[in-house]
Amino acid sequence: MLGSITRIVTLLIASLWASAALAAPPSPWILDRPAAGAFPLLAPDAVADLVVSPDDAPVVGLAAQGFADDLAAVSGRSAQVSADGGAPNRAQVWIGTLGRNPAIDRLVADRRLDVRHLKGAWESFVIAVVERPAPGVPRALVIVGSDRRGTAYGVYELSQAIGVSPWRWWADVAPPRRDRLYVAAGTRRFGPPSVKYRGVFLNDEDWGLQPWAAHTFEPETGNIGPKTYAKVFDLLLRLKANTLWPAMHPTTAPFNGDPANARLADRYAIVMGSSHAEPMLRNNVGEWKAPAADYDYARNRDGVLAYWRERVQANGGYENLYTLGMRGIHDSGMVGADSLEGRKALLEKIFADQRRLLTERGLEGAPQVFTPYKEVLDVYRGGLKVPDDVTLVWPDDNFGYIRQFPDATERKRAGGSGVYYHLSYLGAPLSYIWLSTTPPALIQQQMGQAYDLGARRLWVANVGDLKPAEINTELFLALAWDVDAFRKAGWRGFLADWAAREFGAEAGPEVADLMARWHGLNFERKPEHLQWQLPGQKPRMSDLSLEAAAARLAAFDALSARVDAVAARLKPDQQDAFFELVAYPVKAAAAANHRFFDAEAHDRLADAAPLEARRRGALARRADAELAALTERYNAEIAGGKWRGLMAVEPADGQWKSFRLTPPVLPAASLVGAGPEPAAPPPSAKTDPAAPIVIQAESVAAGAGWTRVDGLGRGQGAMQSGAAASSLAYAVTLPPGDWSLSVDLIPTFPLTAGGALRLAVAVDGGAPVEIAVRREPGDAVWAQGVLDGRLGAASGLSLAGGPHRVVLTAREPGVLVDALAFKPR
């Protein structure tokens, strides 16, 4: 069946496409021929020189060299980076920071360059064509930043404008070849960013980034070291990010264990921070050498304080974000106090002492953050006093749903608020550290809501091994850079632009659509969550009927076929990037689903339909082999073996078993075979649940007080409540019988801290029934919700067969309704 689907889709797409995939056009302000006033960046007879000042920050020279390399990749011709003014009578790109480049400052003083919006601005830049900027220079392209990072962002903005992906190195995206590039006349202004500090956390690196760095990319270090971090820093600049929380598991050498790392971060102008569990830039799992029991502030204050002081003294000369507070070693709970009041008092003492350390080093004005993560959020809600200038960083529940948003009082704090958000997680109830499947729609909705409620100081995403989280990493950071522009295009617009940039204008729409559909399927159940029991529980069958599972597999098969059709139309130099960014995630998820559901079908049908059971068992084993082959190709073949050791299918080993997928049990080879294709659908097993009747929430128009959120849930979207007391009405006709009504919600958290998701349901004009779903991470309702991607809220109402009118009324804003479900009683 899969082969026939592949052939059909291939023929359909072939009929629509030209014979070869075309490169995406460069930015609208980049031209491929001369025009009045345009700057010749790349002309048939010359390449522009890149001119920097020796007095500027090191990152400016690094970015200039990075752009020179990009231009060479595009054209095959080298540009010279000069700090002596460049060659006369040649086109020149002047690159510099306001106040640190004398030539650019003279243009400003002579009113030849308008930089009014740059003065005093954060990370902003201007790109302008200037006529006769100096004797012997007929025309220059000037890139000027308000600060050192603004300048670097401007350089890499030009790189993207000429068609170079930020992922050129990290995902082997080959830029389109050009032999002419002209920058249109005029001035273009960018910044300041929507969120001040924007970055990523490299985490759970044991199964990808660390073994790859240690054995493939940086064997001379045998770990994640300066060579790897240099590539990470360069990527962050290309994505207009400025912050990194470095890798911190026991398998990895501590970032600050090698002073070269911090020096390198400063050269790249990257602000270094540390996770919620690593106060004062300390990696506790690698740097705390005393017994673990001594990492207790209540009884070893002097020892812990000296440990923190050492890092502040050593790294205080760099630009850092200082994490305040304290938890146990390696993300474990607080020690030293058992009661709520005791924990409050201890943390407040820790805050005061940590801030004194900063004052000792002359850093009292340095940015400081506090993340009330897991049990610490309860301490904060219990009245913990956090200094007003400290940024409160609100965590999600580790699965993409932000636990608390700043209220009116918190929005007035001098330190503001931020968000720590997971795109990858190792923890209960089940980890997801293999493929990056958080829906772009959820990221946009949750982070946009956080922004609207005042969380604008720091956004950090836990991206795991970084690969294969390329799409979501860039999406998260693009949203943080310019919320308004992102919202104007939406997540679908982002995917469309991303796909066209990476794979060309012809392939772009198809790639964007298939990735959107892939995210939708995985939102229903992540590939790392393909078991229906929690670790330690008795195994059980999935909640899907054979028919529902078959429909899910058919949807994955259709996506895989579309991937094959796209790959067949791409050029050879696009194949590696396509495999890394699209083909592997799509096909690996499809194989994982086949392995699970075909094996389950074998077990369900073994007695009722033994021939079909044998066939499905063979398909499960085939999927398992395909998954192994795909992963081997990623590690051994793609980009000439560049990524050897990076990709490991979950579960990769037996560590952390209490919250990792149980290795699948496949039918033995002797039990399966290539049985005949069934002439009719196989009989349902007795364990198949009765299918409910589902009405998608977005099937009615959004009335006053409700907003349709595209791409969330199991249909085309979800409905989000705005004003309380606003309603949605649904007409439904049920078959004969008795039916119970439940409302499926997206498992978000209420906007009111510690509150509940509240709705009222009324049927046929009857009295409304209140629904209140409390959200408590760690309990069974929460665990089921994050694994299923929905919360089933029973109404307690019973309906007879026939026509009915169901009305949902909001009791508070922010509730996301996915569907109405009517189940036979």
Side-chain angles (χ1 to χ4, degrees):
M1 182 177 71
L2 178 56
S4 61
I5 293 175
T6 302
R7 288 190 294 273
I8 292 170
V9 175
T10 301
L11 290 172
L12 286 173
I13 294 177
S15 68
L16 297 174
W17 282 12
S19 60
L22 303 179
S27 173
W29 47 278
I30 301 296
L31 312 174
D32 59 4
R33 58 180 58 88
F39 174 79
L41 181 64
L42 176 66
D45 58 345
V47 181
D49 289 339
L50 311 179
V51 182
V52 299
S53 168
D55 299 326
D56 219 326
V59 70
V60 174
L62 291 169
Q65 186 58 56
F67 178 76
D69 295 341
D70 292 345
L71 197 55
V74 167
S75 66
R77 297 151 65 189
S78 298
Q80 298 298 314
V81 180
S82 169
D84 59 6
N89 299 312
R90 286 173 59 88
Q92 295 183 3
V93 181
W94 290 11
I95 301 169
T97 307
L98 201 62
R100 298 194 64 173
N101 185 301
I104 292 176
D105 290 343
R106 281 194 295 271
L107 289 178
V108 174
D110 293 342
R111 299 184 179 180
R112 304 285 310 284
L113 183 65
D114 184 0
V115 295
R116 284 173 292 179
H117 100 285
L118 293 185
K119 294 181 179 179
W122 178 260
E123 297 180 346
S124 302
F125 59 95
V126 164
I127 301 176
V129 177
V130 179
E131 300 289 336
R132 296 181 299 280
V137 182
R139 184 175 294 152
L141 179 68
V142 179
I143 303 174
V144 55
S146 62
D147 51 31
R148 58 180 183 161
R149 280 188 294 275
T151 306
Y153 296 159
V155 173
Y156 285 130
E157 181 72 27
L158 183 59
S159 274
Q160 287 201 49
I162 67 173
V164 178
S165 168
W167 301 95
R168 182 169 77 88
W169 191 88
W170 275 101
D172 303 297
V173 181
R177 299 287 291 191
R178 310 284 183 191
D179 56 12
R180 301 182 184 190
L181 290 168
Y182 299 85
V183 180
T187 299
R188 291 154 191 93
R189 299 176 176 84
F190 302 81
S194 298
V195 178
K196 186 170 186 178
Y197 295 104
R198 312 163 307 282
V200 302
F201 177 23
L202 303 175
N203 195 215
D204 306 320
E205 67 277 8
D206 309 44
W207 301 278
L209 195 63
Q210 197 280 336
W212 166 77
H215 303 297
T216 301
F217 185 64
E218 200 168 355
E220 66 275 15
T221 304
N223 222 297
I224 301 174
K227 185 177 176 182
T228 303
Y229 279 119
K231 291 297 186 182
V232 173
F233 296 152
D234 178 77
L235 174 67
L236 292 177
L237 294 176
R238 291 172 180 270
L239 296 175
K240 298 189 181 71
N242 59 15
T243 301
L244 179 69
W245 293 358
M248 47 73 72
H249 267 218
T251 188
T252 302
F255 178 85
N256 288 305
D258 183 351
N261 287 329
R263 290 195 298 268
L264 190 69
D266 186 60
R267 286 180 56 79
Y268 277 90
I270 297 300
V271 183
M272 292 306 300
S274 52
S275 75
H276 58 89
E278 301 174 282
M280 309 305 284
L281 301 177
R282 274 298 198 178
N283 178 322
N284 299 320
V285 299
E287 295 183 324
W288 180 258
K289 302 303 183 183
D294 290 346
Y295 191 68
D296 182 339
Y297 207 76
R299 68 177 187 83
N300 186 27
R301 174 179 178 271
D302 290 345
V304 176
L305 206 57
Y307 168 70
W308 290 337
R309 179 181 288 110
E310 181 182 36
R311 175 63 61 237
V312 172
Q313 293 297 322
N315 290 54
Y318 304 129
E319 194 175 0
N320 300 308
L321 283 167
Y322 292 93
T323 295
L324 303 188
M326 185 178 185
R327 295 183 76 229
I329 290 178
H330 201 70
D331 202 10
S332 57
M334 285 185 64
V335 297
D338 296 326
S339 68
L340 177 62
E341 291 302 316
R343 288 178 170 179
K344 284 166 50 180
L346 182 60
L347 276 174
E348 288 169 9
K349 181 176 180 58
I350 289 171
F351 291 156
D353 288 347
Q354 289 170 332
R355 285 161 68 84
R356 273 193 289 271
L357 290 179
L358 295 175
T359 300
E360 288 175 7
R361 185 64 169 78
L363 297 169
E364 56 272 12
Q368 302 154 48
V369 302
F370 171 64
T371 304
Y373 185 71
K374 289 190 176 179
E375 82 285 346
V376 183
L377 182 57
D378 294 329
V379 182
Y380 175 80
R381 289 173 174 173
L384 177 70
K385 293 181 176 61
V386 181
D388 187 65
D389 60 337
V390 173
T391 301
L392 293 173
V393 181
W394 305 106
D396 68 347
D397 65 347
N398 307 313
F399 287 81
Y401 307 99
I402 298 172
R403 292 187 61 184
Q404 183 167 324
F405 299 91
D407 61 21
T409 299
E410 289 156 345
R411 287 194 286 274
K412 297 177 182 177
R413 299 179 76 261
S417 290
V419 176
Y420 169 42
Y421 194 81
H422 285 76
L423 299 173
S424 172
Y425 180 60
L426 175 68
L430 281 172
S431 305
Y432 60 106
I433 56 175
W434 173 33
L435 303 180
S436 183
T437 55
T438 301
L442 182 64
I443 301 171
Q444 178 179 340
Q445 189 276 329
Q446 286 285 281
M447 297 307 301
Q449 186 166 269
Y451 180 84
D452 291 341
L453 292 173
R456 303 180 178 188
R457 185 64 58 89
L458 168 68
W459 286 10
V460 174
N462 185 324
V463 298
D465 291 314
L466 186 60
K467 294 177 70 66
E470 297 96 338
I471 296 175
N472 278 346
T473 298
E474 183 173 352
L475 183 148
F476 179 91
L477 294 172
L479 183 59
W481 171 255
D482 192 337
V483 168
D484 291 338
F486 190 100
R487 283 172 162 166
K488 185 176 180 180
W491 66 269
R492 290 188 188 275
F494 168 85
L495 275 184
D497 291 344
W498 169 85
R501 183 192 70 199
E502 309 302 65
F503 305 113
E506 293 290 343
E510 176 73 1
V511 171
D513 182 70
L514 73 86
M515 292 308 293
R517 294 177 183 275
W518 179 79
H519 275 292
L521 281 172
N522 288 310
F523 184 44
E524 295 179 16
R525 200 77 178 187
K526 293 181 181 294
E528 300 95 334
H529 297 165
L530 290 175
Q531 66 182 50
W532 263 249
Q533 75 280 359
L534 297 181
Q537 294 180 348
K538 181 180 179 181
R540 69 181 182 91
M541 296 289 185
S542 74
D543 292 340
L544 275 63
S545 67
L546 287 171
E547 293 78 9
R552 178 173 175 82
L553 295 181
F556 271 112
D557 288 344
L559 290 182
S560 293
R562 293 173 68 182
V563 164
D564 290 339
V566 173
R569 297 295 177 182
L570 294 179
K571 296 179 293 184
D573 66 356
Q574 295 175 305
Q575 295 295 335
D576 285 345
F578 187 71
F579 182 84
E580 294 169 46
L581 296 170
V582 179
Y584 182 83
V586 171
K587 286 180 165 289
N593 274 265
H594 265 288
R595 180 175 66 178
F596 176 83
F597 286 108
D598 282 328
E600 184 176 84
H602 169 274
D603 296 343
R604 285 183 169 182
L605 296 171
D607 295 330
L611 289 179
E612 174 63 5
R614 284 170 56 84
R615 189 184 75 88
R616 297 295 293 273
L619 289 176
R621 295 183 63 85
R622 185 187 307 170
D624 186 61
E626 180 184 3
L627 187 52
L630 286 166
T631 305
E632 176 64 14
R633 181 183 174 194
Y634 202 124
N635 285 320
E637 299 176 21
I638 291 300
K642 175 180 177 181
W643 302 111
R644 185 178 300 277
L646 187 88
M647 188 57 60
V649 178
E650 178 69 0
D653 57 24
Q655 297 184 77
W656 310 91
K657 285 185 178 180
S658 61
F659 37 72
R660 295 182 74 182
L661 185 76
T662 301
V665 177
L666 302 178
S670 60
L671 300 179
V672 303
E677 291 280 348
S684 295
K686 295 180 180 180
T687 54
D688 289 348
I693 294 173
V694 176
I695 305 297
Q696 296 297 332
E698 73 278 10
S699 62
V700 298
W706 288 84
T707 304
R708 185 181 187 273
V709 181
D710 176 46
L712 278 186
R714 282 163 164 72
Q716 297 301 310
M719 301 297 283
Q720 182 172 4
S721 64
S726 54
S727 298
L728 295 172
Y730 298 86
V732 59
T733 299
L734 299 173
D738 292 326
W739 301 82
S740 64
L741 168 61
S742 64
V743 181
D744 287 346
L745 306 177
I746 304 297
T748 57
F749 285 77
L751 301 186
T752 302
L757 301 174
R758 299 182 186 277
L759 289 169
V761 184
V763 176
D764 300 332
V769 173
E770 300 286 334
I771 293 178
V773 181
R774 295 206 167 270
R775 309 291 289 115
E776 186 57 46
D779 69 15
V781 173
W782 168 81
Q784 199 65 53
V786 296
L787 296 179
D788 291 345
R790 64 179 173 187
L791 291 169
S795 70
L797 293 170
S798 180
L799 291 76
H804 297 280
R805 185 173 188 268
V806 180
V807 177
L808 296 183
T809 302
R811 288 292 186 253
E812 66 172 67
V815 180
L816 282 156
V817 181
D818 184 15
L820 306 180
F822 301 87
K823 300 177 182 178
R825 296 176 68 88

